[in-house]
Amino acid sequence: MSTIKSQPIKEAFVQSILEKQHNKRTTLFSYVEKIDWIDSLQFYQSGRALYAGERFFWKDRDGEVEIVGLGNIYTIRNEKTDRSRYAETEEKWNDMIKCSFIHNSFDAYGVGPVLFGGFSFDPQQKQEEEWSKFSSAFFYLPEYMLTIYEGECYLTTNVICPSDELEALIDKLESKKDWLLTQTSAQQPDEHKQFAYIKEQNTEQWKEAVNEAVKQIRSDDELKKVVLARKIIAGFNQEIDQDNVLERLMKQQPDSFVFSLEAMESCFLGASPERLVRKRNDIALSTCLAGSIKRGGTDEEDDALGKELLDDEKNRIEHEYVVQMIKREMEALCHTVNIPSAPGLMKVRDIQHLYTPVTGITDEGRSILQFVERLHPTPALGGLPNDKALPVIRRLEEMDRGFYAGPVGWMDYRKNGEFAVAIRSGLLSKQQAFLYAGCGIVADSEAESELAETRIKFRPMLRALGEMADE
């Protein structure tokens, strides 16, 4: 891999041809330039004409980074379970970067070659039809990528070809880029589609599963927690406009990670409050998010509910399980780890959570995927211990979570990146939306209250789809 200072794209790519003129191997050529301000949603929506089914969107919860990818020039999939899907993804990405030629003179975060995608929650779960366009690991490299970092806009252009074919593609790349940057959003008026039906899993059956999990936890001294999720299917009278749903999530959930990942006619998107891990050079940051309660109708009620959550023994125990697990895994990869002595509150539109950040100092050359592999699934989405909880989940849930509750995010060519835990999410496919929500089951869990909690957690996606779910 080589990196040179920024210069006009044609001059830069011609130089790369000269430097690699004796190399007929297919190579990744990547060029980063700073551009005038452009709205990320507008860029995403404008790309629909050329790249429908090959787009991704990312906004972090702190408002520091937004990334939009258009086009898919390189895909990484994992279909096997006989080796680590994380190691396979890393190996394929490293092989691509080793023979790349990267023009990037900027110190911005999330520019240059970036893979975007995610991992399914459980690769051993039998895949259901709605997830057929995805695989247990699914990432792609875009042809064009807009990055907004600290208020500045950068455009990365990527092309994979033998060096002797690059010059013939330069004018085409420039022409397409110019077209994308001058488009205004052609988004149709935001007309909510009509719900045709909402199909809900048998709630009595799900409550029985909760009770069975409680029995198993009480009878097993080692099993402390099992997270059980359920699914609803919303059907519409016409095809769902994925771009409108994404736009509503941006407006309605500004304090969350907002993401969208297209795979042909399917689109997995959501607004998650939970960071799995972020790595910037030698700093790694993870989040413990477990234990929740609804928001109040007034400031006074909201504060009272928050205090109730902070004082609730069940939720504090559930939260501490997550803290101890993330602490242990972060210590395995970091020189030092810092954790606050007590949790705080993270408040999003419909729900508030117990929240503890975990920060570690690591080796700059360590890949973010090593953190993803060790941290997923946290007890907040799997259970404790995972090796005992996952078989219970497979037996009692009787569904494929797909990417729900899995890691979704991005990684760059410098081994940095960020992944969120894909909760408050759904899979859109033509006229159907598959939505997911789960709860942490511990020894004193009560089925009816856990069912009510899932209904709160369905609200963000139902509202973004057009259903006013505030009741």
Side-chain angles (χ1 to χ4, degrees), residues 206 227-230 292 380-381 397 401 404 423-424 436-441 450 453-454 457-458:
W206 191 80
V227 178
L228 290 182
R230 66 191 192 97
S292 57
L381 277 306
E397 276 191 357
R401 291 188 183 186
Y404 164 73
I423 55 177
R424 317 291 191 270
Y436 305 83
C439 293
I441 310 304
E450 302 296 347
E453 184 174 325
T454 64
K457 292 175 177 177
F458 279 127

Side-chain angles (χ1 to χ4, degrees), residues 95 104 154 226 299 314 398:
D95 287 345
N104 176 23
Y154 304 85
V226 174
D299 289 344
K314 170 190 173 294
E398 297 183 343

Side-chain angles (χ1 to χ4, degrees), residues 38-100:
I38 183 172
D39 181 77
S40 58
L41 268 175
Q42 177 182 315
F43 187 71
Y44 181 86
Q45 293 167 352
S46 298
R48 188 173 188 170
L50 296 179
Y51 298 107
E54 296 181 339
R55 299 177 298 163
F56 65 75
F57 184 95
W58 171 269
K59 181 197 77 71
D60 72 6
R61 70 175 310 272
D62 303 315
E64 294 181 358
V65 180
E66 296 180 33
I67 302 177
V68 179
L70 304 179
N72 177 1
I73 64 170
Y74 174 66
T75 305
I76 292 178
R77 288 180 176 270
N78 173 267
E79 306 291 353
K80 301 176 182 178
T81 58
D82 59 348
R83 64 171 298 193
S84 167
R85 53 188 177 156
Y86 307 97
E88 182 177 352
T89 300
E90 180 81 17
E91 180 182 323
K92 290 178 178 178
W93 184 228
N94 285 342
D95 287 345
M96 174 62 68
I97 296 303
K98 283 176 185 176
C99 64
S100 65

Side-chain angles (χ1 to χ4, degrees), residues 168-223:
L169 293 175
I170 292 175
D171 290 338
K172 182 178 180 181
L173 287 167
E174 283 282 75
S175 176
K176 196 187 295 185
K177 180 194 76 175
D178 291 342
W179 184 89
L180 288 169
L181 293 177
T182 56
Q183 294 304 297
T184 55
S185 176
Q187 192 69 3
Q188 296 299 312
D190 187 8
E191 296 177 358
H192 290 181
K193 305 296 187 289
Q194 294 298 313
F195 277 85
Y197 62 86
I198 294 183
K199 181 180 178 183
E200 190 170 18
Q201 180 183 1
N202 186 310
T203 55
E204 292 304 315
Q205 181 180 338
W206 191 80
K207 287 191 290 185
E208 289 174 8
V210 171
N211 291 331
E212 176 61 30
V214 169
K215 288 180 184 177
Q216 193 147 346
I217 292 168
R218 290 175 177 174
S219 65
D220 188 334
D221 291 338
E222 294 183 6
L223 183 61

